[in-house]
Amino acid sequence: MIDGAFARWLAARAGQALVGLRTEMGFADPGALRSAGDKVSHDLIRTELAKWRPGDAVLSEEDEGSRLAWAAEVNAGTVSRLTADRVWIVDPLDGTREFAEEGRSDWAVHVALWARNAPAPHGLVAGAVALPAQHRVLATDYPPAYPPMTLESATSGAGRVIRLAVSRSRPPVFLTDLAEDVGAHLVPMGSAGAKIAAVVTGDVDAYIHAGGQYEWDSAAPVAVATATGLHASRIDGSALKYNEADPRLPDLLVCRKDLASRLLAALQRHSG
């Protein structure tokens, strides 16, 4: 199975397991449901990667050993993923808080593949974002079509209202001023994967985050977004990079290409 199809299959399988867990446990104890969800999805993904891609390295949010490369007491040369040619970057359950809230669909499973000789600066060659509660998987093997503009957006030119997805719990403090500057309407959501998926499907026009993230929060959704043809960068316009020794990747912008220069200019005015 090619890598893109494998990523789609794996994310979907983990998503099905999480849906089953929600049904089995219910929502009476959110803390227990969150913990069980992280473990069930992580164990499934790790088992299948070991079975089907045994020669590849893994960087997972739930794998503590993968997080240690930046720690002062760890020699980066001993971290296998930093010398590997292929690294799977996974978030077994993105939007854990929303996963444990009944009725919410903004949570996801992320599976991405980074390759040393990839042609794109971000190094991502395959990826899939499963949105189990929305009954869909977005992946690079069959990238979604570039999102259509709404009739209102297509006819109102530069003055149109931009629909801007932001963190439901940690919106950057400067975003209110930026939104007023560019004429944006803020759309709070959980899960970075759900927010970037909303840009991919055209439900919003852009997503800006500057509150601190890790590579696993954005690798799979950025792989899908760029395969679709969308813009993805740091908020200063520089390239996103993955499988770094320090996996913290604190900010990003994903948006329609026609909005990129306008939003990057506004970010320069407001994020400093």
Side-chain angles (χ1 to χ4, degrees):
M1 190 183 300
I2 64 172
D3 291 320
F6 177 71
R8 179 190 290 273
W9 172 81
L10 186 54
R13 276 211 61 198
Q16 289 168 359
L18 288 167
V19 169
L21 190 67
R22 267 182 143 192
T23 302
E24 176 187 340
M25 292 184 65
F27 299 90
D29 187 344
L33 182 57
R34 287 194 292 268
S35 297
D38 281 331
K39 178 173 174 42
V40 164
S41 186
H42 174 75
D43 289 350
L44 185 153
I45 290 172
R46 276 301 228 156
T47 298
E48 297 298 344
L49 284 172
K51 180 178 180 181
W52 298 107
R53 296 294 191 272
D56 295 348
V58 179
L59 171 62
S60 169
E61 180 185 24
E62 299 303 320
D63 187 346
E64 188 176 355
S66 295
R67 297 169 173 244
L68 297 178
W70 74 82
E73 64 271 21
V74 173
N75 182 346
T78 66
V79 179
S80 61
R81 69 175 177 82
L82 296 178
T83 56
D85 289 333
R86 291 163 48 97
V87 180
W88 292 91
I89 302 175
V90 301
D91 188 345
L93 177 50
D94 182 62
T96 310
R97 173 181 166 182
E98 287 74 21
F99 170 73
E101 294 181 19
E102 188 171 11
R104 294 203 70 94
S105 62
D106 48 350
W107 52 277
V109 178
H110 297 175
V111 177
L113 176 63
W114 172 93
R116 187 167 303 283
N117 297 321
H122 56 43
L124 302 170
V125 294
V129 178
L131 300 155
Q134 300 177 27
H135 309 289
R136 60 183 172 180
V137 180
L138 307 176
T140 56
D141 58 338
Y142 292 102
Y146 195 81
M149 298 181 77
T150 63
L151 179 61
E152 179 186 9
S153 297
T155 56
S156 56
R160 69 186 171 100
V161 174
I162 300 170
R163 300 159 299 169
L164 181 58
V166 298
S167 172
R168 178 185 174 214
S169 58
R170 296 177 297 158
V173 293
F174 62 82
L175 270 186
T176 300
D177 290 341
L178 183 147
E180 184 175 349
D181 182 359
V182 300
H185 169 64
L186 300 182
V187 184
M189 297 182 193
S191 166
K195 288 189 278 286
I196 297 174
V199 184
V200 171
T201 58
D203 293 326
V204 298
D205 300 302
Y207 167 47
I208 294 174
H209 183 87
Q213 286 184 337
Y214 292 91
E215 292 182 7
W216 46 77
D217 291 311
S218 65
V222 162
V224 175
T226 53
T228 299
L230 293 163
H231 171 91
S233 72
R234 299 287 302 273
I235 63 171
D236 64 0
S238 61
L240 295 161
K241 294 184 179 179
Y242 293 90
N243 197 34
E244 298 290 294
D246 182 346
R248 286 173 289 193
L249 187 50
D251 57 65
L252 84 163
L253 164 67
V254 178
C255 66
R256 303 177 59 88
K257 279 197 168 176
D258 56 292
L259 295 175
S261 59
R262 184 175 167 194
L263 289 174
L264 286 169
L267 282 162
Q268 197 169 31
R269 292 194 293 273
H270 294 283
S271 64

